[in-house]
Amino acid sequence: MIHVEIINGPITPFPSDNSHQDDGAELVFNGRVRDTEHGENITALEYEQYEGMAEAELRKLAEETMQKYPVHNLFCRHRVGKVNVGEASLHVAIWTKHRKEGLEGMSWFISELKKRIPIWKWAIMEDGSRIPSECTHR
Amino acid sequence: MIHVEIINGPITPFPSDNSHQDDGAELVFNGRVRDTEHGENITALEYEQYEGMAEAELRKLAEETMQKYPVHNLFCRHRVGKVNVGEASLHVAIWTKHRKEGLEGMSWFISELKKRIPIWKWAIMEDGSRIPSECTHR
Amino acid sequence: MITVNVKCFSQVMYALDTDILLIELESGATTDTLEKIIRDRADGKLDGVSLRTAVNQKYIPDVVELKDGDEVAFIPPVQGG
Amino acid sequence: MITVNVKCFSQVMYALDTDILLIELESGATTDTLEKIIRDRADGKLDGVSLRTAVNQKYIPDVVELKDGDEVAFIPPVQGG
């Protein structure tokens, strides 16, 4: 099952419950905003999306991940708008039978997300100015 | 920071809050009991530990992981006693600057845990019988 | 003549100081012609910036002919995550 | 003579049908002597089972001499996670 969402506002994690009787491995990633960008202190990042295309590409990527790896469920929320330091901009949960494919699937999904989902960020500096963040592609 | 615990009873997840200002990556793993062991239906696993040594080895392993990978925090709870199908027997949370080292650290930590922490499991079958589970070492 | 909507994001928005442009092109014009127009308007600010082309919200692998009403975006390196 | 406590887990417990044994050994006896005693008692049930030795709750890399009161465990393949 796939669930992808691009949301404006704090991310609520997907429920981690006991209903996955055939999934031995549940892996959750939270990507959080760090307090520096290129060595300069920031107070927040502001994420901009290509509305429509970003969510469509995210869904396509989730489908590809599930074709490439034996992933049973892939849930993803990506936040747009202003995200303060410490808060999560990305939340991904993956359920697999074994952990190996979960770790590989997670790694691939996030790497690809950072290459192709049309989302960009601006750094909000301590003085309140807003500057385009450079691409890091890591 | 390290936090390791071996507990008898349901696992409460570690808090996922917004206090990690320099950790861009928060990775959480839940190892859950699947409904089959070697092709046979089970209702639960019962985990047995070498009391004292299991927790000491787990702490040692967490320390090694933090020496080997740039992990800022490694928290782990392993459950012993009866764990029903679907429930988590293992809960690991790792905070790192970037996701790559988090994924690598998580992968290594769990692989080593499965090699050296003196914990064993017994399968509780549908008829109530309790049989030693074979080692899989995956 | 055809008219296309060009959506501008991130560095492209920054370079052109707008998030949308309506551009008239000769019939039969292709995406690379349009990219050249956009880069020229940026007055050097997009030099060295790699751009992927999306037409109607899908990445296109190669140059395509544009149709009246197409939505086009020249997508600078993305930064999600 | 010395006395050591042998803690038995999983397959070892299953093979010996007990979780603890008190065993008397000659002074100077080593872990491999004790392992042989344990394997003999298991009456074939531990054949082919690899056992790592722990003395006083620490894995030991090699054979060591045992002391009176030592806690020893022959640890079958572990299964945590």
Side-chain angles (χ1 to χ4, degrees):
Chain A
M1 209 171 88
I2 285 173
H3 183 102
V4 300
E5 260 182 323
I6 291 181
I7 58 171
N8 196 323
I11 289 175
T12 310
F14 295 107
S16 168
D17 59 31
N18 299 340
S19 64
H20 300 269
Q21 308 243 317
D22 195 35
D23 295 322
E26 175 184 319
L27 195 62
V28 179
F29 176 79
N30 288 307
R32 294 184 178 278
V33 173
R34 288 192 292 118
D35 55 8
T36 54
E37 275 274 296
H38 321 297
E40 294 207 61
N41 292 337
I42 64 165
T43 62
L45 288 176
E46 194 172 323
Y47 285 89
E48 174 194 4
Q49 68 161 321
Y50 187 164
E51 188 147 4
M53 183 170 171
E55 200 165 285
E57 281 292 319
L58 200 55
R59 179 172 309 279
K60 224 183 279 175
L61 174 57
E63 284 162 1
E64 274 179 54
T65 305
M66 290 180 65
Q67 277 154 18
K68 208 173 150 78
Y69 299 93
V71 167
H72 296 149
N73 293 293
L74 196 163
F75 294 175
C76 175
R77 289 196 170 115
H78 198 304
R79 193 169 163 185
V80 291
K82 190 175 162 203
V83 185
N84 292 323
V85 166
E87 293 178 358
S89 53
L90 175 63
H91 176 65
V92 188
I94 283 181
W95 283 265
T96 52
K97 193 164 180 185
H98 302 294
R99 79 183 180 290
K100 188 172 172 288
E101 57 249 32
L103 286 160
E104 287 172 358
M106 180 68 85
S107 178
W108 190 78
F109 177 77
I110 302 174
S111 297
E112 289 296 311
L113 181 153
K114 285 174 178 260
K115 285 180 200 158
R116 57 166 112 160
I117 307 305
I119 290 179
W120 300 270
K121 55 190 183 188
W122 304 71
I124 314 289
M125 312 309 286
E126 284 185 321
D127 65 2
S129 62
R130 181 176 177 277
I131 59 168
S133 176
E134 274 165 47
C135 171
T136 56
H137 264 202
R138 267 180 312 209
Chain B
M1 209 171 85
I2 286 172
H3 185 102
V4 302
E5 262 182 321
I6 291 181
I7 57 171
N8 196 322
I11 288 175
T12 310
F14 294 107
S16 169
D17 59 32
N18 298 341
S19 64
H20 299 268
Q21 308 243 319
D22 194 33
D23 295 321
E26 175 184 319
L27 195 64
V28 179
F29 176 80
N30 289 308
R32 294 184 178 277
V33 174
R34 288 191 292 119
D35 55 7
T36 53
E37 276 273 296
H38 320 297
E40 295 206 61
N41 291 338
I42 64 166
T43 62
L45 288 176
E46 194 174 321
Y47 286 89
E48 174 196 3
Q49 67 161 321
Y50 187 164
E51 188 148 4
M53 184 172 168
E55 199 165 286
E57 282 292 320
L58 199 56
R59 179 171 309 278
K60 224 183 281 175
L61 174 57
E63 284 162 2
E64 273 179 56
T65 306
M66 291 180 65
Q67 277 154 20
K68 210 172 149 78
Y69 299 92
V71 167
H72 296 148
N73 293 292
L74 196 163
F75 294 176
C76 175
R77 289 195 171 115
H78 198 303
R79 192 167 164 187
V80 291
K82 191 177 163 200
V83 185
N84 292 322
V85 166
E87 294 177 358
S89 52
L90 175 63
H91 176 65
V92 188
I94 282 181
W95 284 265
T96 52
K97 193 164 180 184
H98 302 295
R99 80 185 178 290
K100 186 171 175 286
E101 57 249 31
L103 286 160
E104 287 173 357
M106 180 67 86
S107 178
W108 191 78
F109 177 79
I110 303 175
S111 298
E112 289 296 311
L113 182 155
K114 287 176 176 258
K115 284 181 200 158
R116 57 165 111 160
I117 308 303
I119 290 178
W120 300 270
K121 56 190 184 186
W122 303 71
I124 314 287
M125 313 308 288
E126 284 185 322
D127 65 4
S129 61
R130 181 177 176 277
I131 60 167
S133 174
E134 274 164 49
C135 171
T136 55
H137 265 201
R138 271 182 310 210
Chain C
M1 298 290 284
I2 61 167
T3 305
V4 298
N5 295 304
V6 179
K7 292 227 174 187
C8 306
F9 300 97
S10 185
Q11 293 177 73
V12 178
M13 184 201 290
Y14 203 68
L16 301 181
D17 204 25
T18 181
D19 60 357
I20 191 147
L21 286 168
L22 283 181
I23 299 207
E24 287 214 328
L25 298 164
E26 302 285 333
S27 289
T30 58
T31 46
D32 56 353
T33 308
L34 181 57
E35 181 175 340
K36 193 175 175 311
I37 293 171
I38 296 297
R39 285 191 182 270
D40 286 347
R41 287 215 189 185
D43 203 18
K45 286 186 212 134
L46 290 175
D47 292 0
V49 176
S50 70
L51 299 172
R52 287 177 75 183
T53 310
V55 176
N56 298 326
Q57 307 206 353
K58 287 203 174 74
Y59 287 118
I60 53 158
D62 215 332
V63 172
V64 297
E65 193 177 311
L66 291 166
K67 298 182 303 295
D68 191 50
D70 275 349
E71 177 179 308
V72 186
F74 295 101
I75 298 199
V78 300
Q79 304 168 315
Chain D
M1 297 293 280
I2 60 166
T3 306
V4 297
N5 295 303
V6 179
K7 293 227 172 182
C8 305
F9 299 98
S10 183
Q11 293 178 72
V12 178
M13 185 204 285
Y14 203 68
L16 301 181
D17 202 24
T18 182
D19 59 358
I20 190 148
L21 286 168
L22 283 180
I23 298 206
E24 286 213 329
L25 297 164
E26 301 286 332
S27 290
T30 59
T31 46
D32 57 353
T33 308
L34 181 57
E35 181 174 343
K36 191 172 178 316
I37 294 169
I38 296 298
R39 286 192 180 269
D40 285 348
R41 286 213 189 185
D43 204 19
K45 287 186 213 133
L46 291 174
D47 292 1
V49 176
S50 70
L51 300 172
R52 287 178 75 184
T53 310
V55 177
N56 299 325
Q57 308 207 349
K58 287 204 172 75
Y59 286 118
I60 54 160
D62 213 332
V63 172
V64 297
E65 194 178 309
L66 292 166
K67 296 181 305 294
D68 191 51
D70 275 350
E71 177 179 307
V72 185
F74 295 102
I75 298 197
V78 300
Q79 303 169 314

